[in-house]
Amino acid sequence: MAKETVLEMKNITKTFPGVKALDKVDFSLKKGEVHALVGENGAGKSTLMKVLNGIHPRDEGKIILKGEPVEFENTKEAQKAGLAIIHQELELIPYLNVAENIFLGREDRNGIFINYQKLYQKTEEVLDMLGVDIDPKAQIKDLNIGSQQMVEIAKAVSQNADILVMDEPTSSLTNQEIDILFELIARLKEQEIAIVYISHRLEEVFEICDRVTVLRDGQFVGEVETSNTNEDQLIKMMVGRTIEDRFPEMNFNPTDEILKIENLTVPDEINSASFSLKKGEILGIAGLMGSGRTELAKAIFGVFKEKSGDIYYRGKKIEIKSPADAINNGIYYLSENRKEEGLVLGLSVANNISVSVLKSMLKANTFIDSNAENNLARKYIEDLKIKTPSEKQLVKNLSGGNQQKVVISKLLSTKPEVVIFDEPTRGIDVGAKREIYNLMQELIDDGVAVILISSELPEVLNLSNRIIVMHEKKIMGELDAAEADQEAVMKLATGRRNQ
Amino acid sequence: QDLRIGLAVSTLNNPFFVDLKEGAESMAEEMGVEILVVDAQDDAAAQLSSVEDLLIKQIDVLIVNPVDGNAVVSAITAANDAGVPVITVDRGAEGGEVVSHIASDNVAGGEMAGDFIAEQLNEEGKVVELEGIPGTSAARDRGKGFNQAMDKYEGMEVIARQPAGFDRAEGMTVMENILQGNPEIDAVFAHNDNMALGAMEAIAAAGRSDEIMIVGFDAIDDAVAAVNAGDLAATIAQKPALMGEMAVETAVKVANGEEVDEYTPVPLELITE
Amino acid sequence: MNKLNNDIQKKNILEILNKFKTGIGLLILVIVLSFMSPYFLTIPNILNIIRQVSIIAIVSFGMTMVILTGGIDLSVGSMLAFSGAISAGMMVNSGLNVFLAIFIGLAAGTALGFFNGLAVAKAKLPAFIVTLAMMTIARGFTLIYTNGRPISGFNETFRFFGAGYLGRIPIPVVIMFMFLVIIYILLKKTPFGRYIYAIGGNETATKLSGINTEKIKVAVYALNGFLAAVSGIILTSRLNSAQPMSGEGYELDAIAAVVLGGTSLSGGSGTVIGTIVGALIIAVLNNGLNLLNVSSFYQLVAKGAVILLAVFLDRKSQQQ
Amino acid sequence: MNKLNNDIQKKNILEILNKFKTGIGLLILVIVLSFMSPYFLTIPNILNIIRQVSIIAIVSFGMTMVILTGGIDLSVGSMLAFSGAISAGMMVNSGLNVFLAIFIGLAAGTALGFFNGLAVAKAKLPAFIVTLAMMTIARGFTLIYTNGRPISGFNETFRFFGAGYLGRIPIPVVIMFMFLVIIYILLKKTPFGRYIYAIGGNETATKLSGINTEKIKVAVYALNGFLAAVSGIILTSRLNSAQPMSGEGYELDAIAAVVLGGTSLSGGSGTVIGTIVGALIIAVLNNGLNLLNVSSFYQLVAKGAVILLAVFLDRKSQQQ
Ligand SMILES: Nc1ncnc2c1ncn2[C@@H]1O[C@H](COP(=O)(O)OP(=O)(O)OP(=O)(O)O)[C@@H](O)[C@H]1O
Ligand SMILES: Nc1ncnc2c1ncn2[C@@H]1O[C@H](COP(=O)(O)OP(=O)(O)OP(=O)(O)O)[C@@H](O)[C@H]1O
Ligand SMILES: [Mg+2]
Ligand SMILES: [Mg+2]
């Protein structure tokens, strides 16, 4: 099945100030194949694809598309040549609706007007093809991040491109949606469309990809056929060493109850939620997209003004009116949306990490001790292996996964007693994931109580000792993790109670 | 000789002061002296700065048209300290050493307008006063004189007193609104011609030109033309160009060590058809 | 039966109120003023108010588009004065035909706006500084061109645009409605309009979608200059005089109308309908204060307080 | 050998230039002006310029902080006038001691700023509208308090703050430098300052990091009111008179200084050093145009053009 090569990138080099993001990288793509691009956070995957799409100019190298050398000045030219890209960081317009976003710049027209009838119809078609139920007239700002991700996918797919780049398309999707996406990819393959697939979930790579290219530190490490390799080997290529198991064997040591929630209700968001949490345990929260897991977490964290119900902390009833109250009590929430809610992109790594604990590192009780601040940042850069030229780098210049590590560092710096992780491993590479799992183990060893919200069911199943499942803003039931399996969780998550 | 005169004008966004400046410039040319003009755009602090800038250039005499009589004192003192004699035009200063003051009296002008209206209406009628920018000396003084006059007559009543920013468009808008709320108006006095002309358009558009007489202030070209056409009843002429000329003449005298009068009044004139 | 009817009506009213949330401040203002002054809610006064609002409204429409892209334009007042002066000068001094003179005035405003657009979109300079500079430059041009003196003496044809009527409706109002409809449709129904929202919402994303954002921005600033010129010509005609200082401070009034109307200064969301409501709030307020003969110093306090109250009511009703 | 030395020197100069990129527009302006006017680069004139700049600079420092949080304050000019008038009135009309009067003036400005802060941070109203309303309200208060007339007749102690000297250095300059240093340190070295940047960069994220963003914002607006009051008192002392209309239009000057200095209007990045450079550009320009005796209408054009050029040079040099 020797297919023709549609794209060849040769010797691609790209430097940012202080960072050599790509160093003589080769990459090739054949018609009708799904070609995985894997590597640790900051390996240069997104950058390579941005160079391909004319978003970043390259310093060196050649791009040969369908036999012709090409030089794209901007995305429009790349689009014209048949390239489409799903961006890792969502690039949507908040106040335009779904249909307008999908066809932005490519609207059907009726004279000088947009032909909305056709626009909505075509949007329905694309969304149907993706099998998702999103209103074409809904504004992007009202969609949760998973739906936004589906819109981003629809946008790229609708371009009928010959080459489709997917930069971590599944990082915010639930299993069901991932299945739908994979079916779609299978169909696109039949249409001889070439797909570049970037993901940190290696099982996905083995499920749908034909070949894999591995990058490490901006360098090309190798290219292999999926059928000729296995996870361990890929991981070794990526990180240069072996990682035994995906999930560590967790040791729970639940002691005293630290947090108890009773009838917590937020109008339109959460319906009478009750549960309790012990020190030294990990409570998993599972549910489908939009089931209200994030809202529950935010309600505890004091984000909503209007709410009812009681929160007991170490047996005492407390009022959490703002995130500041929560943090002062030792509760920290890690947002699922690092770009909007987690980071100040224009500040440095050090400034982001220290922001919650700034008041505890003062000189003369007034001035920020910048040595302490930088040391703190350097500690986490080392501990979490954050890839950055220095702690002074602006966060917006980090790769997606490394940005996530910065948010986690910020959380750890407060030495919290209750941690709510909302999709903590979004966009994080295998090695780093394992480090985060280890970190959770360390946290519970220290008697910290952890709540883990994750759309990756295996994560919830393997890391928690108890699981509560949500459905339509309500807690449907609780499962013991040792006995629970995927099926039991899904049953509750879709609204069917266990007999 | 090489005489250098500094002229600090309060604003050049108003034809009145443009006339004043041009009068000064033409006289300077006639007398063969150099004149440096700075414009404070009605900002007292900017005036102080620009006077300081003039002093840096070693002028021989400073003519200042104050934005404000009190605030200008700092500028005058600065000139005094630098040994530069000061002449004020149009508005006076409340302190500092001023060798000569050349101006007409705004309070008297307001009173003149008030008396004229009362006379025309046989001392009985309803009058609207369009005020200038609140807090400016022209608005204060003209309003003061006008209301002094109104108080003299039993039958005269000021039924509306509204600010219209010395601006023609605002004068029109404010007048339109006042017309809505006041079915009976006999006369309008505006603190300047721009507002009077704006009010005139509003009154004409409302078809009430026959009932309402309008009096302005400053005698700018447009207003004089309107008076001649019978659209405005009167305007008060202050002769800004003459003021400018007299100021430069006086400045040259001062520079040459001649005696000058402490106060030279520039006569006001009521311009009617 | 009756109760049911009542309920339905109540619901309808609530729904309508809900739809026009931006108008609630205006509505309350109108109700209060109609109790306070018998002259306020009369047909002549209402016509009077909408005629007064038309000039600033047309400027605000352009400003809405600029702000939707995330920009700002401080030069509208100066562009307005410049265009008015040029048109007037062409007629009075150069003896040109009315329509040609108007055309040149409009072209002048558009050109200044176009320059703003180039500096913002191509040279990537901050809109605030660019248009602040244009504010002084265009004012300077106007003063130089007019030598600081008003230009007047127009013929009847020219007077029509500012002082004429179509039936009982003043021409400026007709022109304003025309532009309201055009720009409403432009923003809602055309790609150009949607791109304006897109740029304000996320400029990078818009660019990544292959849209020439620079071209759109240049067009928006040019259009804004054009609309300022339209206002300038109407004002000149209405005043029967081109004032070199006219339009001073209009930038703040226009921006206030846009923001009062619910458009966010950071761009991306807002409507031109909101803007006209915002402009009406300001105009109704000025009219009401004049009718009530509030004395000048207290007018300032009242004006500020009412604007604050109006925006407060609006935002509260929207949060529900 | 010599060549090497030259190279090193060249490199050093380039590096220095690079560090003070924001200043490049100012530098070129100074060089050009010193060639054009013999009076320009003299000690008295330099002192003259920095004394002139001090009042607007102090206002701009507060504005920098407000803009860094992503806000804006149009009421600075009015708060300045109000504080100046209150201090003057307390001394002249109420016969209070100078220092008590100054204290009350400062408190008045701070209170107005505090109110702005509450409306923006707590009631979540748009800063533009809130401060526009405050601009008229505070101006109204000032006119009511002074009855539209200037207040004057101060004693020598009070005169010292605006007209006094410390050695050869005018007191307003001393005060300005003091605040420059304080606010520089506040922004760079204290948690409060860091939070200001964080809020401007991403308010939601900052709040979720446990920072009471509302409190910080209220404090920033109050501080801005305080600094406007400081300026108001210096100006009153310098003019030897509290003018009810003083400070009009200062909001645009202050914002211009901030934006010229490289602070982004959307918040999150910028420095107070940039702001003082921005303020100096405007002051040097005004001074230069006066020294060169450019006639007033052409001054407007020249001023706009030079500002445009300065910001253009700055941004280009920063892009390199
Ligand atoms: N605009 C930029 N400026 C400076 N450095 C950048 C920029 N964009 C990316 N980098 C750096 O280039 C390197 C490669 O980044 P890239 O985003 O390609 O990584 P990635 O492989 O996609 O990682 P991830 O899996 O975390 O998304 C990183 O070190 C990153 O910090
Ligand atoms: N501003 C809004 N207006 C209307 N609906 C909204 C708005 N924001 C969120 N929603 C909806 O609220 C629901 C909750 O979304 P959210 O993603 O936060 O829940 P979740 O259970 O945490 O899901 P996820 O799996 O994405 O973490 C979704 O159905 C979403 O579409
Ligand atoms: Mg990436
Ligand atoms: Mg969620």
Side-chain angles (χ1 to χ4, degrees):
Chain A
M1 211 179 68
K3 299 215 161 148
E4 71 182 281
T5 301
V6 284
L7 170 75
E8 236 178 313
M9 300 178 77
K10 276 197 187 137
N11 261 323
I12 305 291
T13 299
K14 169 80 201 166
T15 13
F16 294 111
V19 185
K20 194 154 205 178
L22 296 172
D23 187 6
K24 303 205 179 74
V25 173
D26 293 340
F27 182 76
S28 78
L29 187 63
K30 291 179 189 162
K31 231 179 187 175
E33 80 162 335
V34 181
H35 193 142
L37 188 56
V38 299
E40 287 178 294
N41 295 131
K45 307 178 292 293
S46 300
T47 306
L48 185 64
M49 291 301 113
K50 284 181 180 166
V51 166
L52 173 62
N53 272 273
I55 296 166
H56 289 321
R58 58 182 182 274
D59 304 340
E60 268 172 50
K62 266 194 291 202
I63 301 178
I64 298 158
L65 184 67
K66 295 168 201 160
E68 301 280 322
V70 287
E71 199 74 51
F72 299 132
E73 293 278 326
N74 53 43
T75 34
K76 182 141 205 168
E77 291 176 9
Q79 267 182 25
K80 280 207 190 115
L83 265 85
I85 182 165
I86 299 169
H87 293 282
Q88 177 180 13
E89 300 298 331
L90 299 176
E91 294 288 2
L92 298 168
I93 317 290
Y95 285 93
L96 293 190
N97 68 30
V98 170
E100 288 167 337
N101 264 284
I102 291 178
F103 289 99
L104 189 64
R106 302 177 289 122
E107 302 84 354
D108 278 294
R109 301 186 188 194
N110 217 342
I112 60 162
F113 301 112
I114 296 174
N115 185 340
Y116 271 101
Q117 209 184 344
K118 200 151 173 210
L119 188 65
Y120 290 130
Q121 187 198 325
K122 280 169 77 178
T123 306
E124 298 267 16
E125 280 166 21
V126 191
L127 292 173
D128 272 354
M129 185 166 79
L130 289 173
V132 287
D133 180 27
I134 298 174
D135 180 2
K137 293 181 183 168
Q139 286 195 332
I140 294 296
K141 70 173 171 52
D142 294 332
L143 298 182
N144 63 22
I145 193 151
S147 306
Q148 290 184 12
Q149 180 77 64
M150 290 310 277
V151 173
E152 183 89 40
I153 293 171
K155 183 173 172 178
V157 167
S158 70
Q159 291 174 27
N160 298 321
D162 325 319
I163 297 177
L164 188 54
V165 176
M166 300 185 169
D167 195 349
E168 301 196 32
T170 55
S171 67
S172 312
L173 299 184
T174 56
N175 284 343
Q176 276 172 315
E177 291 154 328
I178 293 175
D179 290 343
I180 296 170
L181 179 67
F182 286 180
E183 279 167 34
L184 175 81
I185 289 176
R187 263 177 287 150
L188 294 174
K189 246 178 101 158
E190 277 166 26
Q191 297 165 26
E192 295 285 275
I193 289 168
I195 294 170
V196 182
Y197 190 86
I198 301 177
S199 178
H200 289 295
R201 301 182 184 174
L202 293 182
E203 70 276 15
E204 294 178 357
V205 170
F206 284 96
E207 195 177 334
I208 57 163
C209 299
D210 306 307
R211 285 196 297 169
V212 189
T213 292
V214 182
L215 299 184
R216 185 165 71 221
D217 286 337
Q219 284 173 332
F220 175 83
V221 175
E223 184 196 86
V224 285
E225 307 249 336
T226 348
S227 47
N228 292 339
T229 184
N230 57 35
E231 266 195 40
D232 289 340
Q233 201 187 337
L234 269 190
I235 290 172
K236 192 161 180 215
M237 286 171 79
M238 283 163 60
V239 291
R241 66 194 154 90
T242 48
I243 291 178
E244 312 81 55
D245 291 307
R246 261 190 74 194
F247 296 104
E249 191 64 43
M250 302 295 282
N251 294 310
F252 302 105
N253 184 18
T255 54
D256 314 339
E257 177 183 277
I258 182 160
L259 187 70
K260 189 161 145 218
I261 308 295
E262 270 183 4
N263 298 321
L264 187 63
T265 299
V266 177
D268 299 329
E269 307 283 0
I270 293 296
N271 194 344
S272 189
S274 305
F275 68 88
S276 78
L277 180 70
K278 291 197 179 82
K279 291 172 93 162
E281 76 165 340
I282 297 183
L283 174 67
I285 303 183
L288 297 181
M289 194 165 84
S291 57
R293 296 164 299 171
T294 296
E295 281 66 25
L296 178 58
K298 284 188 175 174
I300 297 169
F301 197 54
V303 171
F304 299 109
K305 284 247 143 60
E306 251 181 89
K307 65 173 178 218
S308 62
D310 301 324
I311 299 175
Y312 296 89
Y313 192 64
R314 295 181 202 190
K316 268 211 315 254
K317 196 175 158 197
I318 58 164
E319 286 290 334
I320 300 181
K321 292 210 193 79
S322 69
D325 287 346
I327 291 173
N328 288 338
N329 275 304
I331 304 173
Y332 210 107
Y333 166 73
L334 177 103
S335 167
E336 62 179 341
N337 188 346
R338 62 172 169 258
K339 204 169 155 189
E340 304 290 334
E341 302 182 342
L343 295 163
V344 184
L345 291 171
L347 288 183
S348 69
V349 171
N351 293 351
N352 268 280
I353 292 177
S354 67
V355 71
S356 291
V357 292
L358 219 44
K359 291 220 161 125
S360 66
M361 35 187 173
L362 299 181
K363 279 189 297 203
N365 259 329
T366 319
F367 305 112
I368 298 168
D369 180 349
S370 46
N371 279 335
E373 187 182 16
N374 292 334
N375 287 338
L376 180 81
R378 279 198 288 267
K379 168 173 154 22
Y380 287 111
I381 288 172
E382 199 166 299
D383 285 3
L384 302 187
K385 305 198 173 54
I386 301 174
K387 190 162 183 289
T388 171
S390 91
E391 72 277 4
K392 302 209 169 65
Q393 176 76 308
L394 299 187
V395 168
K396 68 175 169 211
N397 293 335
L398 295 195
S399 78
N402 285 301
Q403 291 182 352
Q404 182 74 2
K405 292 182 187 173
V406 172
V407 196
I408 293 177
S409 308
K410 178 167 76 171
L411 171 159
L412 293 177
S413 72
T414 65
K415 306 217 163 30
E417 294 183 57
V418 173
V419 178
I420 310 173
F421 284 111
D422 195 354
E423 313 285 1
T425 58
R426 235 186 93 198
I428 283 204
D429 67 47
V430 258
K433 258 185 196 169
R434 185 56 207 252
E435 283 153 24
I436 287 174
Y437 301 151
N438 290 342
L439 197 135
M440 287 186 191
Q441 178 70 60
E442 282 169 33
L443 284 174
I444 53 175
D445 286 345
D446 291 346
V448 173
V450 174
I451 295 176
L452 170 64
I453 301 173
S454 173
S455 296
E456 274 189 73
L457 257 190
E459 234 174 41
V460 179
L461 289 168
N462 281 295
L463 299 174
S464 332
N465 62 332
R466 281 189 304 139
I467 299 171
I468 56 179
V469 186
M470 294 191 69
H471 172 68
E472 291 190 344
K473 310 181 190 340
K474 275 213 283 276
I475 295 181
M476 287 301 284
E478 182 180 322
L479 300 167
D480 185 342
E483 295 153 20
D485 58 8
Q486 199 130 343
E487 206 181 328
V489 172
M490 285 318 289
K491 223 168 161 185
L492 283 173
T494 50
R496 289 166 294 159
R497 269 182 208 285
N498 290 3
Q499 280 79 21
Chain B
Q1 87 275 28
D2 254 6
L3 262 192
R4 188 181 270 185
I5 297 171
L7 170 61
V9 192
S10 61
T11 175
L12 286 176
N13 297 339
N14 180 333
F16 179 86
F17 297 103
V18 176
D19 284 344
L20 188 150
K21 181 198 86 167
E22 286 179 355
E25 280 173 344
S26 65
M27 180 56 73
E29 199 178 337
E30 200 174 295
M31 305 187 73
V33 295
E34 189 185 356
I35 187 160
L36 307 175
V37 186
V38 293
D39 170 13
Q41 309 216 348
D42 261 338
D43 179 346
Q47 182 153 61
L48 176 53
S49 300
S50 57
V51 167
E52 285 164 353
D53 292 344
L54 283 177
L55 293 175
I56 295 275
K57 291 193 70 174
Q58 293 159 355
I59 50 173
D60 299 301
V61 187
L62 173 68
I63 303 172
V64 58
N65 155 230
V67 171
D68 179 90
N70 287 297
V72 79
V73 174
S74 303
I76 293 172
T77 320
N80 293 156
D81 291 349
V84 174
V86 180
I87 296 167
T88 52
V89 269
D90 184 49
R91 291 178 198 136
E94 301 295 323
E97 257 174 65
V98 176
V99 289
S100 180
H101 177 52
I102 296 157
S104 38
D105 185 349
N106 271 311
V107 179
E111 194 160 5
M112 195 186 268
D115 288 336
F116 171 75
I117 289 172
E119 195 180 302
Q120 296 289 308
L121 296 177
N122 291 322
E123 303 192 3
E124 193 171 328
K126 296 191 157 87
V127 191
V128 168
E129 180 185 3
L130 291 180
E131 303 169 307
I133 296 172
T136 56
S137 67
R140 255 188 339 253
D141 293 346
R142 294 171 190 182
K144 185 173 162 198
F146 173 73
N147 284 294
Q148 274 170 10
M150 289 296 104
D151 291 344
K152 287 192 290 200
Y153 308 101
E154 278 283 309
M156 299 298 298
E157 188 192 353
V158 181
I159 54 169
R161 201 175 266 133
Q162 291 285 289
F166 283 135
D167 176 68
R168 200 179 289 196
E170 228 180 306
M172 176 171 65
T173 308
V174 170
M175 195 63 219
E176 280 167 352
N177 291 337
I178 291 173
L179 286 170
Q180 297 296 328
N182 295 284
E184 264 183 67
I185 299 171
D186 301 306
V188 174
F189 169 62
H191 287 185
N192 78 350
D193 281 338
N194 262 331
M195 293 190 290
L197 290 165
M200 183 182 91
E201 294 297 332
I203 290 167
R208 289 166 70 174
S209 302
D210 292 341
E211 317 159 25
I212 305 173
M213 64 179 291
I214 309 164
V215 176
F217 207 114
D218 283 349
I220 64 173
D221 293 348
D222 280 7
V224 175
V227 169
N228 289 333
D231 296 328
L232 279 191
T235 179
I236 313 287
Q238 279 206 77
K239 310 195 177 157
L242 181 61
M243 259 183 229
E245 289 166 20
M246 288 166 66
V248 171
E249 256 175 348
T250 314
V252 174
K253 279 189 198 159
V254 170
N256 294 334
E258 295 172 38
E259 276 289 305
V260 293
D261 290 337
E262 216 168 275
Y263 175 50
T264 317
V266 182
L268 288 164
E269 189 184 338
L270 184 75
I271 298 188
T272 55
E273 217 185 326
Chain C
M1 199 57 214
N2 219 341
K3 183 174 176 303
L4 189 73
N5 245 330
N6 250 342
D7 271 12
I8 289 174
Q9 279 199 325
K10 221 189 227 161
K11 217 186 140 195
N12 273 340
I13 290 174
L14 276 181
E15 260 170 25
I16 289 170
L17 271 183
N18 209 35
K19 251 202 137 159
F20 293 92
K21 282 177 279 202
T22 336
I24 207 146
L26 177 60
L27 200 75
I28 293 177
L29 189 60
V30 166
I31 293 172
V32 170
L33 281 173
S34 57
F35 277 103
M36 290 177 78
S37 165
Y39 304 104
F40 179 73
L41 217 58
T42 59
I43 303 266
N45 193 44
I46 290 169
L47 280 175
N48 176 34
I49 292 174
I50 48 176
R51 189 177 49 199
Q52 288 178 359
V53 88
S54 56
I55 284 162
I56 199 78
I58 294 171
V59 174
S60 310
F61 296 159
M63 189 67 88
T64 308
M65 288 187 281
V66 170
I67 291 180
L68 279 176
T69 67
I72 192 119
D73 193 339
L74 301 177
S75 65
V76 284
S78 299
M79 296 194 295
L80 177 155
F82 185 63
S83 313
I86 291 281
S87 292
M90 287 296 147
M91 278 182 296
V92 176
N93 305 337
S94 314
L96 289 193
N97 159 293
V98 173
F99 295 98
L100 196 57
I102 290 179
F103 177 81
I104 294 173
L106 294 177
T110 313
L112 296 182
F114 184 76
F115 179 86
N116 280 338
L118 285 185
V120 171
K122 302 273 179 186
K124 313 246 181 288
L125 302 182
F128 188 92
I129 292 294
V130 167
T131 60
L132 184 76
M134 180 57 84
M135 171 171 144
T136 33
I137 293 173
R139 184 66 67 195
F141 282 164
T142 314
L143 286 165
I144 292 169
Y145 183 74
T146 61
N147 196 19
R149 289 166 206 287
I151 301 174
S152 43
F154 312 131
N155 65 23
E156 275 310 302
T157 324
F158 185 69
R159 289 282 284 150
F160 176 75
F161 296 100
Y165 284 86
L166 191 78
R168 280 193 71 175
I169 316 289
I171 295 299
V173 176
V174 175
I175 298 178
M176 176 193 79
F177 268 110
M178 201 182 75
F179 280 112
L180 178 64
V181 171
I182 291 175
I183 291 170
Y184 179 84
I185 292 174
L186 193 73
L187 283 176
K188 288 275 157 183
K189 305 282 176 194
T190 70
F192 177 71
R194 300 324 284 172
Y195 299 161
I196 290 177
Y197 283 92
I199 290 172
N202 186 341
E203 187 162 350
T204 325
T206 312
K207 208 177 230 158
L208 289 180
S209 300
I211 288 156
N212 189 336
T213 53
E214 296 182 2
K215 216 168 80 186
I216 306 281
K217 288 207 303 199
V218 173
V220 165
Y221 281 88
L223 197 51
N224 189 40
F226 170 79
L227 288 168
V230 169
S231 273
I233 288 163
I234 297 176
L235 183 64
T236 303
S237 159
R238 198 157 138 55
L239 282 178
N240 202 7
S241 156
Q243 296 279 312
M245 292 312 287
S246 69
E248 243 203 321
Y250 278 24
E251 66 283 353
L252 287 188
D253 282 349
I255 301 170
V258 173
V259 179
L260 265 177
T263 297
S264 143
L265 264 186
S266 50
S269 89
T271 66
V272 73
I273 303 286
T275 298
I276 184 90
V277 170
L280 277 169
I281 290 179
I282 300 173
V284 163
L285 192 55
N286 284 330
N287 173 271
L289 291 170
N290 285 156
L291 288 185
L292 298 174
N293 198 24
V294 176
S295 84
S296 68
F297 300 164
Y298 290 92
Q299 244 184 53
L300 289 169
V301 176
K303 199 169 159 183
V306 173
I307 285 179
L308 213 52
L309 202 68
V311 72
F312 181 78
L313 289 172
D314 255 17
R315 301 297 143 113
K316 285 303 122 178
S317 75
Q318 259 163 54
Q319 274 160 29
Q320 271 155 25
Chain D
M1 198 58 214
N2 221 339
K3 183 174 175 304
L4 190 73
N5 245 331
N6 249 343
D7 271 11
I8 289 174
Q9 278 200 328
K10 223 189 225 162
K11 217 184 139 197
N12 272 339
I13 289 174
L14 276 180
E15 260 170 24
I16 290 169
L17 271 183
N18 208 34
K19 252 202 138 159
F20 294 92
K21 282 179 277 205
T22 336
I24 206 147
L26 177 60
L27 199 74
I28 293 177
L29 192 59
V30 167
I31 293 172
V32 170
L33 282 173
S34 54
F35 277 103
M36 290 177 77
S37 166
Y39 304 104
F40 180 73
L41 218 59
T42 59
I43 303 265
N45 194 43
I46 290 168
L47 280 175
N48 180 25
I49 292 174
I50 47 175
R51 188 177 51 200
Q52 289 173 5
V53 88
S54 57
I55 284 162
I56 200 77
I58 294 171
V59 174
S60 309
F61 295 160
M63 189 67 88
T64 307
M65 288 187 281
V66 170
I67 290 179
L68 279 176
T69 67
I72 193 120
D73 193 338
L74 302 177
S75 65
V76 283
S78 300
M79 294 193 297
L80 177 155
F82 185 64
S83 313
I86 291 281
S87 293
M90 288 296 148
M91 278 181 294
V92 176
N93 305 335
S94 314
L96 290 193
N97 160 291
V98 173
F99 295 98
L100 195 57
I102 289 180
F103 178 80
I104 293 173
L106 293 176
T110 312
L112 296 182
F114 184 75
F115 180 86
N116 280 338
L118 285 185
V120 171
K122 301 274 179 187
K124 314 247 181 286
L125 302 182
F128 188 91
I129 293 292
V130 167
T131 59
L132 184 75
M134 181 56 85
M135 170 170 142
T136 32
I137 293 173
R139 184 67 66 192
F141 283 164
T142 313
L143 285 164
I144 293 169
Y145 182 74
T146 60
N147 198 18
R149 287 164 214 286
I151 301 174
S152 43
F154 313 131
N155 63 24
E156 275 311 301
T157 323
F158 185 70
R159 290 281 286 148
F160 176 74
F161 296 100
Y165 285 85
L166 191 76
R168 280 192 71 174
I169 316 288
I171 295 300
V173 175
V174 174
I175 298 178
M176 177 194 81
F177 268 110
M178 198 181 76
F179 280 112
L180 178 65
V181 171
I182 291 175
I183 291 169
Y184 178 85
I185 291 174
L186 195 72
L187 283 175
K188 289 276 156 183
K189 305 281 176 196
T190 70
F192 177 71
R194 183 65 61 69
Y195 300 155
I196 290 177
Y197 284 96
I199 289 172
N202 185 343
E203 185 162 354
T204 319
T206 309
K207 195 179 228 157
L208 289 180
S209 300
I211 283 130
N212 190 336
T213 53
E214 296 181 1
K215 213 168 81 185
I216 305 285
K217 288 205 309 195
V218 173
V220 165
Y221 281 88
L223 196 51
N224 187 40
F226 170 79
L227 288 168
V230 170
S231 272
I233 288 163
I234 296 176
L235 183 65
T236 304
S237 159
R238 188 154 140 66
L239 289 177
N240 202 11
S241 156
Q243 296 279 308
M245 296 308 286
S246 71
E248 245 201 319
Y250 278 25
E251 64 284 353
L252 288 187
D253 282 348
I255 300 170
V258 173
V259 179
L260 264 177
T263 298
S264 143
L265 264 186
S266 51
S269 85
T271 65
V272 76
I273 302 287
T275 297
I276 184 89
V277 171
L280 277 170
I281 289 179
I282 300 175
V284 164
L285 193 55
N286 284 332
N287 172 269
L289 290 170
N290 281 342
L291 288 186
L292 296 175
N293 199 28
V294 176
S295 85
S296 130
F297 299 162
Y298 288 92
Q299 250 189 43
L300 289 171
V301 176
K303 195 170 160 184
V306 173
I307 286 179
L308 214 52
L309 201 70
V311 73
F312 181 79
L313 289 173
D314 253 17
R315 300 298 141 112
K316 287 302 123 176
S317 75
Q318 257 161 58
Q319 274 159 32
Q320 272 155 24

